[in-house]
Coordinates of all heavy atoms in Angstrom, one line a residue:
W599 N 14.0 6.9 -8.4 CA 14.7 6.6 -9.6 C 15.8 5.6 -9.4 O 16.1 4.8 -10.3 CB 15.3 7.9 -10.3 CG 14.3 8.9 -10.5 CD1 14.0 10.0 -9.6 CD2 13.4 9.1 -11.6 NE1 13.0 10.7 -10.1 CE2 12.6 10.2 -11.3 CE3 13.2 8.4 -12.7 CZ2 11.6 10.6 -12.2 CZ3 12.2 8.8 -13.6 CH2 11.4 9.9 -13.3
G646 N 12.4 4.6 -15.8 CA 11.8 5.8 -16.5 C 10.4 6.0 -16.0 O 9.9 5.5 -15.0
T647 N 9.7 6.9 -16.8 CA 8.3 7.2 -16.4 C 7.4 6.0 -16.9 O 7.8 5.2 -17.7 CB 7.9 8.5 -17.1 OG1 8.1 8.3 -18.5 CG2 8.7 9.7 -16.7
M650 N 7.2 5.4 -20.6 CA 8.3 4.7 -21.3 C 8.0 3.3 -21.5 O 8.6 2.6 -22.3 CB 9.6 4.9 -20.5 CG 10.6 5.9 -21.1 SD 12.1 5.9 -20.1 CE 12.9 4.4 -20.5
F705 N 25.4 7.7 -15.3 CA 25.1 8.8 -16.1 C 24.7 10.1 -15.3 O 24.0 10.0 -14.3 CB 23.9 8.5 -17.0 CG 24.3 7.7 -18.3 CD1 24.6 6.4 -18.2 CD2 24.4 8.4 -19.5 CE1 25.0 5.7 -19.3 CE2 24.8 7.7 -20.6 CZ 25.1 6.3 -20.5
D706 N 25.3 11.2 -15.7 CA 24.9 12.5 -15.2 C 24.9 13.5 -16.3 O 25.2 13.1 -17.5 CB 25.7 12.9 -14.0 CG 27.2 13.1 -14.3 OD1 27.5 13.1 -15.5 OD2 28.0 13.3 -13.4
L710 N 26.5 12.9 -20.1 CA 25.6 13.0 -21.3 C 26.0 14.0 -22.3 O 26.0 13.8 -23.5 CB 24.1 13.3 -20.8 CG 23.0 12.7 -21.5 CD1 23.1 11.2 -21.4 CD2 21.7 13.1 -20.8
W715 N 24.9 13.4 -26.3 CA 23.5 13.0 -26.3 C 22.6 14.0 -25.6 O 21.4 13.8 -25.5 CB 23.4 11.6 -25.6 CG 24.1 10.5 -26.2 CD1 24.7 10.5 -27.5 CD2 24.4 9.2 -25.7 NE1 25.3 9.3 -27.7 CE2 25.2 8.5 -26.6 CE3 24.1 8.6 -24.4 CZ2 25.6 7.2 -26.4 CZ3 24.6 7.3 -24.2 CH2 25.3 6.6 -25.2
W716 N 23.2 15.1 -25.1 CA 22.4 16.1 -24.3 C 21.2 16.6 -25.2 O 20.1 16.9 -24.6 CB 23.3 17.2 -23.8 CG 22.6 18.2 -23.0 CD1 22.3 19.5 -23.3 CD2 22.2 18.1 -21.6 NE1 21.7 20.2 -22.3 CE2 21.7 19.3 -21.2 CE3 22.3 17.1 -20.7 CZ2 21.2 19.5 -19.9 CZ3 21.8 17.3 -19.4 CH2 21.2 18.5 -19.0
E718 N 19.4 15.3 -27.1 CA 18.2 14.4 -27.2 C 17.2 14.6 -26.1 O 16.1 14.1 -26.2 CB 18.7 13.0 -27.3 CG 19.5 12.7 -28.5 CD 20.1 11.3 -28.5 OE1 19.5 10.4 -28.0 OE2 21.3 11.2 -28.9
L719 N 17.6 15.4 -25.1 CA 16.6 15.7 -24.1 C 15.7 16.9 -24.6 O 16.1 17.7 -25.4 CB 17.3 16.3 -22.8 CG 18.2 15.3 -22.0 CD1 18.9 16.1 -20.9 CD2 17.4 14.2 -21.4
T720 N 14.4 16.9 -24.2 CA 13.5 18.0 -24.6 C 14.0 19.2 -23.8 O 14.7 19.1 -22.8 CB 12.1 17.7 -24.2 OG1 12.0 17.6 -22.8 CG2 11.6 16.4 -24.9
L722 N 12.4 21.0 -21.8 CA 11.9 20.8 -20.4 C 12.8 19.9 -19.6 O 13.2 20.1 -18.4 CB 10.5 20.3 -20.3 CG 9.4 21.4 -20.5 CD1 8.0 20.7 -20.5 CD2 9.5 22.4 -19.4
E723 N 13.1 18.8 -20.2 CA 14.0 17.8 -19.6 C 15.4 18.4 -19.3 O 16.0 18.2 -18.3 CB 14.2 16.5 -20.5 CG 13.0 15.6 -20.5 CD 13.1 14.5 -21.4 OE1 13.9 14.6 -22.4 OE2 12.3 13.5 -21.3
Q724 N 15.9 19.2 -20.3 CA 17.2 19.8 -20.1 C 17.2 20.7 -18.9 O 18.1 20.7 -18.1 CB 17.6 20.6 -21.3 CG 18.1 19.7 -22.5 CD 18.6 20.5 -23.7 OE1 18.4 21.7 -23.7 NE2 19.1 19.8 -24.7
A726 N 15.3 20.4 -16.3 CA 15.3 19.6 -15.0 C 16.6 18.9 -14.8 O 17.0 18.7 -13.6 CB 14.1 18.7 -15.1
A727 N 17.3 18.5 -15.9 CA 18.4 17.6 -15.7 C 19.8 18.4 -15.5 O 20.8 17.7 -15.1 CB 18.6 16.7 -16.9
N731 N 22.1 14.1 -11.8 CA 22.4 12.8 -12.3 C 21.2 11.9 -12.5 O 20.1 12.4 -12.2 CB 23.4 12.1 -11.4 CG 22.9 11.8 -10.0 OD1 21.7 11.7 -9.8 ND2 23.8 11.9 -9.0
W732 N 21.4 10.7 -12.9 CA 20.2 9.8 -13.2 C 19.3 9.6 -12.0 O 18.1 9.3 -12.2 CB 20.6 8.5 -13.8 CG 21.4 7.6 -12.8 CD1 22.7 7.8 -12.4 CD2 20.9 6.5 -12.0 NE1 23.0 6.8 -11.4 CE2 21.9 6.0 -11.2 CE3 19.6 5.9 -12.0 CZ2 21.8 5.0 -10.3 CZ3 19.5 4.8 -11.1 CH2 20.5 4.4 -10.3
T734 N 18.7 11.9 -9.5 CA 18.1 13.1 -9.0 C 17.4 13.9 -10.1 O 16.7 14.9 -9.8 CB 19.1 14.0 -8.3 OG1 20.2 14.3 -9.2 CG2 19.7 13.3 -7.1
D735 N 17.5 13.5 -11.3 CA 16.8 14.2 -12.4 C 15.3 13.8 -12.4 O 15.0 12.7 -12.8 CB 17.5 13.8 -13.8 CG 16.6 14.2 -15.0 OD1 15.8 15.1 -14.8 OD2 16.8 13.5 -16.0
L736 N 14.5 14.8 -11.9 CA 13.1 14.4 -11.8 C 12.3 14.3 -13.1 O 11.2 13.8 -13.1 CB 12.4 15.5 -10.9 CG 12.9 15.6 -9.4 CD1 12.1 16.5 -8.6 CD2 12.9 14.2 -8.8
S737 N 12.9 14.7 -14.2 CA 12.2 14.6 -15.5 C 12.4 13.1 -16.0 O 11.6 12.7 -16.8 CB 12.8 15.5 -16.5 OG 14.1 15.0 -17.0
G738 N 13.4 12.4 -15.5 CA 13.6 11.1 -16.1 C 14.3 11.1 -17.4 O 14.5 10.1 -18.1
G739 N 14.7 12.3 -17.9 CA 15.3 12.4 -19.2 C 16.6 11.8 -19.3 O 16.9 11.1 -20.4
I740 N 17.4 11.9 -18.3 CA 18.8 11.2 -18.4 C 18.6 9.7 -18.5 O 19.3 9.1 -19.4 CB 19.6 11.6 -17.1 CG1 19.9 13.1 -17.1 CG2 20.9 10.8 -17.1 CD1 20.8 13.6 -15.9
I741 N 17.7 9.2 -17.8 CA 17.5 7.7 -17.9 C 17.0 7.4 -19.3 O 17.4 6.4 -19.9 CB 16.5 7.3 -16.8 CG1 17.2 7.3 -15.4 CG2 15.9 5.9 -17.0 CD1 16.3 7.0 -14.2
R742 N 16.0 8.1 -19.7 CA 15.4 7.8 -21.0 C 16.4 7.8 -22.2 O 16.5 6.9 -23.0 CB 14.3 8.9 -21.4 CG 13.6 8.6 -22.7 CD 12.5 9.7 -22.9 NE 13.1 11.0 -23.1 CZ 13.7 11.5 -24.2 NH1 13.9 10.6 -25.2 NH2 14.2 12.7 -24.3
V743 N 17.3 8.8 -22.2 CA 18.3 8.9 -23.2 C 19.3 7.8 -23.1 O 19.7 7.2 -24.1 CB 18.9 10.3 -23.3 CG1 20.1 10.4 -24.2 CG2 17.9 11.3 -23.7
A744 N 19.8 7.5 -21.9 CA 20.8 6.5 -21.7 C 20.2 5.1 -22.2 O 20.9 4.4 -22.9 CB 21.1 6.3 -20.2
I745 N 19.0 4.8 -21.9 CA 18.4 3.6 -22.3 C 18.2 3.5 -23.8 O 18.4 2.5 -24.5 CB 17.1 3.3 -21.5 CG1 17.4 3.0 -20.0 CG2 16.3 2.1 -22.1 CD1 16.2 2.8 -19.1
A746 N 17.8 4.7 -24.4 CA 17.7 4.8 -25.8 C 19.0 4.4 -26.6 O 18.9 3.9 -27.7 CB 17.2 6.2 -26.3
H747 N 20.1 4.6 -25.9 CA 21.4 4.2 -26.5 C 21.8 2.8 -26.0 O 23.0 2.5 -26.2 CB 22.4 5.3 -26.2 CG 22.2 6.6 -26.9 ND1 22.7 6.8 -28.2 CD2 21.5 7.7 -26.6 CE1 22.3 8.0 -28.6 NE2 21.6 8.5 -27.7
P751 N 21.4 3.2 -16.9 CA 21.6 4.6 -16.3 C 22.6 4.6 -15.2 O 23.3 5.6 -15.0 CB 20.2 4.9 -15.7 CG 19.2 4.0 -16.4 CD 20.0 2.8 -16.8

Side-chain angles (χ1 to χ4, degrees):
W599 303 95
T647 57
M650 254 179 74
F705 278 76
D706 61 9
L710 217 56
W715 299 348
W716 182 255
E718 294 172 38
L719 296 173
T720 66
L722 276 178
E723 285 174 339
Q724 283 183 354
N731 61 30
W732 66 282
T734 54
D735 164 23
L736 296 187
S737 77
I740 294 179
I741 288 175
R742 182 180 64 74
V743 171
I745 292 177
H747 289 273

